[in-house]
């Protein structure tokens, strides 16, 4: 027994050395360090490309990224889940317990609260946010399925939208401000046994007319979870990072002897494509795009980042934790959790896979592309090293 643990620890140490070596050879040109184990929930460049903002479980951090200098470090009450740039120096963000603005970024970094969850409301929290410059409206999603619409001029809540039955994952105003897209997905936390799962396992996407904030159309797919969205205005195409649930039959063996069979729930990472022609929302044929090997089965909901290049020709999709097939225990945990995450780069003209990047040693989740389309920011989480944001040149990835 002692010998087995010694071998396992030595193997783990060797893996760590290899991972550390790989990290130094990934062609990133800048690294922004964060705290140990800090979970990265959202990344976004400012409209002028000068600043890079990051929402994490601890704070909203804003860097003047070319100088690697942090210019704002806001720590509200509760985890910060998402933000949206309103202009070059104004940011709106949602924490678990509040929605707030950060004004004059790089200067006074003034924080003003828009809405706060009542002290007794411990059954829901804010989850996502979107901004319309045309209407000067802020849409705020909640974990109980509601969406609040705020007038930023008056700091007043105008509407409460009640169509989603489950967790609102993401929101997006179309460029003309006439329509809002909301993404809902079932959320079960903490994990529960299969026989205790809720009857509704549907992911849902809703198109809203923002004139009176009424539903135009909706799409619900059983056994698919929808997360983050990206929109290509020229072709009226909506891309949604998703996981498709598949029930897989497997064998139960003890000492090599078959003693029974079991059904495992697997989740396959994919991208759903939708055609947006208000008032209709339509899933395109062949909308599920599956990354090739070695990204096979994904055993966690983390890894749902999606980013579309400004010219619309390239789509980036992060891939979360993959089952490694290793034995249980410390070695299996390291192999499964830290080796098999990364990013798939797809050419949207023919949906071929241009590149697959492994990010060893980290869990890859959030991605952001610079407004000029030349740079990519990738959030890398770790419980072993410091979490960090790495910056890459997109041209290094898309050259065939």
């Amino acid at each position: 027994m002692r010998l087995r643990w010694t071998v396992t620890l030595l193997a783990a140490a060797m893996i760590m050395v290899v991972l550390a070596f790989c990290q130094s050879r990934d062609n990133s040109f800048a690294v922004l360090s964060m705290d140990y184990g800090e979970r990265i929930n959202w990344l976004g460049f400012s409209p002028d490309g000068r600043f890079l903002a990051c929402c994490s479980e601890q704070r909203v951090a804003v860097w003047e990224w070319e100088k690697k200098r942090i210019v704002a470090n806001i720590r509200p009450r509760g985890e910060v889940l998402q933000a949206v740039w309103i202009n070059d120096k104004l940011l709106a963000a949602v924490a678990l317990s509040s929605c707030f603005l950060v004004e004059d970024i790089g200067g006074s970094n003034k924080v003003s609260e828009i809405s706060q969850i009542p002290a007794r409301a411990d059954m829901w929290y804010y989850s996502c946010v979107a901004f319309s410059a045309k209407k000067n409206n802020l849409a705020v999603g909640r974990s109980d399925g509601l969406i609040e619409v705020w007038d930023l001029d008056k700091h007043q809540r105008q509407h409460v939208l009640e169509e989603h039955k489950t967790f609102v994952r993401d929101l997006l105003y179309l460029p003309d401000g006439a329509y809002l897209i909301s993404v809902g997905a079932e959320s079960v936390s903490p994990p529960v046994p299969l026989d205790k799962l809720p009857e509704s396992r549907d992911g849902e996407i809703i198109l809203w007319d923002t004139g009176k904030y009424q539903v135009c159309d909706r799409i619900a797919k059983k056994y698919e979870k929808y997360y983050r969205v990206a929109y290509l205005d020229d072709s009226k195409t909506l891309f949604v990072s998703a996981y498709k649930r598949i029930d897989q039959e497997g064998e139960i063996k003890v000492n090599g002897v078959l003693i029974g069979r079991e059904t495992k729930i697997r989740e396959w990472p994919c991208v759903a494509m939708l055609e947006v022609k208000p008032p209709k929302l339509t899933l395109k044929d062949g909308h599920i795009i599956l990354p090739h090997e070695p990204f096979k089965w994904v055993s966690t909901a983390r890894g749902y980042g999606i980013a579309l290049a400004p010219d619309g020709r390239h789509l980036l999709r992060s891939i979360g934790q993959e089952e490694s097939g290793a034995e249980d225990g410390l070695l299996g945990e390291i192999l499964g959790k830290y080796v098999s995450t990364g990013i798939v780069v797809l050419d949207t003209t023919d949906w071929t896979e241009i590149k697959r990047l492994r990010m060893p040693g980290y869990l890859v989740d959030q991605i952001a592309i610079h407004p000029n389309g030349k740079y990519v920011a990738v959030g890398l989480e770790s419980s072993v090293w410091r979490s960090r944001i790495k910056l890459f040149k997109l041209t290094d990835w898309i050259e065939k």
Side-chain angles (χ1 to χ4, degrees), residues 359-378:
M359 303 289 182
Y362 291 95
L363 177 60
V364 181
D365 197 357
Q366 300 305 318
I367 317 167
I369 297 180
H370 192 276
N372 65 16
K374 294 181 180 179
Y375 308 109
V376 180
V378 179

Side-chain angles (χ1 to χ4, degrees), residues 349-367:
T349 58
D350 55 10
W351 293 114
T352 56
E353 180 183 311
I354 298 176
K355 195 174 185 66
R356 186 190 309 116
L357 298 105
R358 285 186 177 274
M359 303 289 182
Y362 291 95
L363 177 60
V364 181
D365 197 357
Q366 300 305 318
I367 317 167

Side-chain angles (χ1 to χ4, degrees), residues 287-396:
H287 70 283
I288 299 298
I289 300 158
L290 303 176
H292 301 301
E293 298 284 344
F295 295 125
K296 298 183 291 184
W297 299 110
V298 174
S299 56
T300 179
R302 300 290 289 176
Y304 47 73
I306 190 170
L308 184 67
D311 62 4
R313 289 198 57 191
H314 300 99
L315 185 75
L316 277 57
R317 170 77 162 89
S318 66
I319 304 297
Q321 177 182 337
E322 173 194 4
E323 286 194 353
S324 65
E327 61 182 272
D328 293 335
L330 180 60
L331 181 58
E333 180 182 348
I334 292 171
L335 287 173
K337 188 173 184 179
Y338 297 115
V339 177
S340 53
T341 66
I343 295 174
V344 173
V345 184
L346 300 168
D347 186 328
T348 59
T349 58
D350 55 10
W351 293 114
T352 56
E353 180 183 311
I354 298 176
K355 195 174 185 66
R356 186 190 309 116
L357 298 105
R358 285 186 177 274
M359 303 289 182
Y362 291 95
L363 177 60
V364 181
D365 197 357
Q366 300 305 318
I367 317 167
I369 297 180
H370 192 276
N372 65 16
K374 294 181 180 179
Y375 308 109
V376 180
V378 179
L380 307 173
E381 303 172 15
S382 175
S383 57
V384 179
W385 297 286
R386 283 183 180 274
S387 295
R388 57 188 61 188
I389 301 167
K390 287 193 174 184
L391 290 114
F392 301 84
K393 292 182 179 179
L394 184 57
T395 52
D396 292 341

